[in-house]
């Protein structure tokens, strides 16, 4: 399976850490009825819905964008040695899958110029840091880390009230090392990449648009997790901090990129994870795009 796309003068690589049956659909999408799930089961199996467990299958991955000027890593997965008591498969995980995937794309940690996180959940900031001699240090030694200031403000305020492990392990050490740039949620990285606000999953969630002068591809982060949410954009995911806002963001995003025909690189759709949006009744169909 190929894991890279060419878009204009840039290359996009998928760096897959895990692809797993993750959670039962009605736990993951609390407003999903049993009837609607059954109506959609046929097209969802086996890629989106694992027939053996009945769980939604999710991919956990980073994207690396190589422009003529920079190499940018978008979201940094779960990481090793991180505290994730709510997700046993991620708690103190220690494996070589991610570093092997990076090497298979022809990349070393030194090659990354920017790390950009769509939001600060555990599966999007994990490899920001790694544990060396009991200390969290930035994994990508030459990179600037681009954080949306609005998202950072939310998590730093939460951490000030009660310790948030993901912030302490994967965000704060980057700031203390002087490697973070706090930016607006419309910030541009060079002339190929721009942040765009997509709140709802978290208060400062951003997507990342790619293309010089026009949006040719977009990295969705977690504004959508499943193709079922394209068919029914109102189905918000259990971790969305504002489910109503998340649904409005998702519908607006799907409308925009359906009309534009943009290549949408999702964080969590099963492989090949990239898609174009088509209309489907009141909602949308995700036409997967093989790399
Ligand atoms: Zn996620």
């Amino acid at each position: 399976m190929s894991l890279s796309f060419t878009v204009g003068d840039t290359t996009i690589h998928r760096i897959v850490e895990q692809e797993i049956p993750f959670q039962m659909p009605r736990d993951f999408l609390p407003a999903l009825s049993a009837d609607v799930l059954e109506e959609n089961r046929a097209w969802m199996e086996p890629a989106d819905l694992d027939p053996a467990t009945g769980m939604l299958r999710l991919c956990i991955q980073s994207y690396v964008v190589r422009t003529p000027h920079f190499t940018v890593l978008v979201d940094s997965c779960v990481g090793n040695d991180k505290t994730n008591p709510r997700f046993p498969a991620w708690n103190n995980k220690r494996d070589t899958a991610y570093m092997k995937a990076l090497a298979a794309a022809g990349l070393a940690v030194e090659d990354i110029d920017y790390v950009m996180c769509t939001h600060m959940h555990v599966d999007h900031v994990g490899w920001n840091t790694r544990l060396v001699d009991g200390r969290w240090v930035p994994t990508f030694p030459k990179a600037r880390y681009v954080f949306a200031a609005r998202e950072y403000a939310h998590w730093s305020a939460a951490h000030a009230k009660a310790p948030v492990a993901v912030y302490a392990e994967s965000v704060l050490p980057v700031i203390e090392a002087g490697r973070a740039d706090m930016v607006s949620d419309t910030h541009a990285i060079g002339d190929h990449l721009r942040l765009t606000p997509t709140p709802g999953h978290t208060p400062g969630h951003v997507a990342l648009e790619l293309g010089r002068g026009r949006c040719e591809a977009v990295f969705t982060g977690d504004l959508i997790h499943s193709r079922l949410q394209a068919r029914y954009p109102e189905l918000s995911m259990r971790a969305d901090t504002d489910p109503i806002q998340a649904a409005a963001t998702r519908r607006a995003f799907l409308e925009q990129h359906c009309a534009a025909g943009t290549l949408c690189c999702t964080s969590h759709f099963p492989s090949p994870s990239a898609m174009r949006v088509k209309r489907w009744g009141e909602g949308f169909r995700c036409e997967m795009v093989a790399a």
Side-chain angles (χ1 to χ4, degrees):
M1 180 174 64
S2 172
L3 293 169
S4 56
F5 301 87
T6 303
V7 174
D9 54 2
T10 64
T11 307
I12 301 169
H13 299 279
R14 295 176 57 215
I15 311 297
V16 176
E17 184 176 37
Q18 291 180 337
E19 187 157 359
I20 49 171
F22 185 74
Q23 204 165 60
M24 297 306 281
R26 297 186 60 216
D27 294 333
F28 195 76
L29 304 167
L32 174 64
S33 73
D35 287 348
V36 168
L37 175 60
E38 285 317 307
E39 264 174 54
N40 289 278
R41 183 177 293 279
W43 68 263
M44 291 179 70
E45 288 183 346
D48 298 73
L49 198 60
D50 178 48
T53 59
M55 291 184 184
L56 285 174
R57 289 183 67 247
L58 259 58
C59 191
I60 312 296
Q61 64 193 316
S62 301
Y63 288 94
V64 172
V65 185
R66 287 168 125 161
T67 80
H69 310 294
F70 306 116
T71 300
V72 182
L73 185 131
V74 184
D75 287 338
S76 63
C77 297
V78 173
N80 276 0
D81 303 298
K82 301 287 164 121
T83 308
N84 286 308
R86 291 180 57 216
F87 303 102
W90 296 349
N91 194 32
N92 292 312
K93 175 181 86 61
R94 194 171 299 147
D95 63 40
T96 57
Y98 189 81
M99 286 299 162
K100 280 184 179 159
L102 204 60
L107 293 159
V109 288
E110 292 80 10
D111 294 331
I112 305 300
D113 299 306
Y114 293 96
V115 175
M116 181 267 162
C117 300
T118 59
H119 63 298
M120 293 181 175
H121 277 166
V122 293
D123 53 322
H124 295 262
V125 295
W127 281 105
N128 281 2
T129 58
R130 60 195 174 94
L131 200 55
V132 177
D133 299 329
R135 280 185 54 238
W136 295 107
V137 300
T139 303
F140 304 97
K142 296 181 180 170
R144 297 300 301 173
Y145 287 67
V146 177
F147 297 138
R150 195 187 307 267
E151 180 73 356
Y152 167 72
H154 172 75
W155 292 104
S156 83
H159 184 69
K161 284 187 201 143
V164 177
V166 59
Y167 178 84
E169 295 175 348
S170 302
V171 177
L172 199 51
V174 173
I175 295 166
E176 288 174 347
R179 308 295 291 286
D181 295 326
M182 300 300 170
V183 303
S184 82
D185 48 18
T186 55
H187 176 77
I189 305 173
D191 52 6
H192 284 79
L193 289 159
R194 295 161 301 282
L195 277 58
T196 183
T198 46
H201 181 61
T202 59
H205 187 284
V206 289
L208 183 68
E209 296 184 349
L210 167 66
R212 202 159 38 177
R214 63 182 289 263
C215 177
E216 293 183 273
V218 61
F219 302 90
T220 66
D222 280 5
L223 71 89
I224 188 165
H225 289 77
S226 163
R227 290 202 283 173
L228 203 54
Q229 292 176 290
R231 182 158 196 199
Y232 310 106
E234 288 63 46
L235 278 182
S236 284
M237 178 269 186
R238 53 156 189 77
D240 289 347
T241 51
D242 184 337
I244 305 284
Q245 187 183 45
T249 289
R250 188 160 40 254
R251 183 170 279 282
F253 175 93
L254 291 163
E255 283 286 358
Q256 178 189 347
H257 294 292
C258 180
T262 317
L263 179 71
C264 300
C265 300
T266 72
S267 285
H268 292 308
F269 287 15
S271 290
S273 305
M275 56 97 172
R276 292 186 204 279
V277 183
K278 308 286 176 182
R279 219 158 276 284
W280 188 1
E282 303 278 290
F284 302 90
R285 184 168 58 80
C286 301
E287 192 175 273
M288 303 313 291
V289 178

